[in-house]
Amino acid sequence: MQIGLPTWVIVATGLVMNVIAALMTNFVIDGLGEKAAVVEETQSSNNQLIQLTWQQVDALERRRETLLIILTTQEEGRELSKMLVSQLLSPFSDMTDTPLDMANINKIMLGIDQQQDLLRNKIDTLYLDNLQLADSYREIVSSISNYRNLALFLQILGLALIMARDLSRKPD
């Protein structure tokens, strides 16, 4: 059984399929690849921010320990220098003038706790953002895979149609 299509129509259809596959690869797949790269970069940036923020939380805990050591080893009635107190309480702008003594220890510890809570909330937010970005990345990679498969299918089918030209020649 023969199909009544001229050979040039079949070849032209094959060429069109190959051109569509090439354009799809060039524009759609590359565009999605750039999108995926942006998502990965954002995730990496968030991970760095999470690490830096954890370091800040840890630094505040070390500061707490230092303050407690200073307060427990400080001699009664002896005041610490203003410069030392100012450095120790520098992360807490509202406490830089607070005397460092046992009477103010609860206020200082509360300030450290509040600062750590803010930092932990920031970490939580960044982590949740990363989870959403991971989902988005998986969707983009899945789309890239689907488009690549479609482009490959179009190329193979297009080449098969182009090769049909050789099959349609009648032997002499």
Side-chain angles (χ1 to χ4, degrees):
M1 176 166 103
Q2 268 190 339
I3 300 175
L5 290 174
T7 305
W8 68 270
V9 171
I10 294 172
V11 171
T13 304
L15 285 173
V16 167
M17 286 182 167
N18 277 306
V19 168
I20 290 172
L23 290 174
M24 187 183 308
T25 300
N26 191 40
F27 293 109
V28 177
I29 295 173
D30 288 350
L32 287 172
E34 289 173 12
K35 229 180 185 181
V38 168
V39 169
E40 278 185 312
E41 187 177 317
T42 305
Q43 278 183 302
S44 176
S45 175
N46 284 352
N47 284 334
Q48 288 176 346
L49 279 172
I50 286 171
Q51 287 176 344
L52 289 173
T53 307
W54 267 121
Q55 288 174 357
Q56 290 174 341
V57 169
D58 191 49
L60 283 171
E61 197 58 38
R62 298 295 79 78
R63 189 171 301 258
R64 177 195 315 266
E65 292 168 359
T66 302
L67 289 168
L68 289 172
I69 290 170
I70 289 172
L71 285 173
T72 56
T73 59
Q74 179 183 1
E75 294 176 19
E76 282 292 319
R78 185 169 177 220
E79 277 193 36
L80 296 170
S81 72
K82 292 268 187 198
M83 187 177 77
L84 178 62
V85 172
S86 176
Q87 280 183 332
L88 288 171
L89 299 177
S90 63
F92 318 103
S93 57
D94 59 335
M95 285 193 242
T96 52
D97 294 331
T98 304
L100 188 57
D101 56 24
M102 291 306 271
N104 292 320
I105 192 68
N106 287 337
K107 180 180 178 184
I108 294 169
M109 293 302 143
L110 181 63
I112 291 173
D113 289 341
Q114 288 172 345
Q115 190 72 24
Q116 285 181 326
D117 286 344
L118 288 173
L119 292 171
R120 285 184 182 113
N121 286 338
K122 181 179 178 182
I123 290 168
D124 290 345
T125 302
L126 289 168
Y127 181 76
L128 291 174
D129 285 348
N130 269 0
L131 289 177
Q132 289 176 342
L133 288 169
D135 288 342
S136 180
Y137 181 77
R138 277 190 290 278
E139 289 175 16
I140 292 170
V141 169
S142 175
S143 293
I144 289 172
S145 177
N146 290 338
Y147 279 114
R148 278 193 179 137
N149 290 338
L150 179 60
L152 182 63
F153 173 75
L154 289 174
Q155 283 179 327
I156 291 171
L157 188 60
L159 289 173
L161 291 175
I162 291 171
M163 290 175 65
R165 171 191 68 186
D166 295 335
L167 296 175
S168 69
R169 291 186 185 155
K170 296 179 183 169
D172 293 333

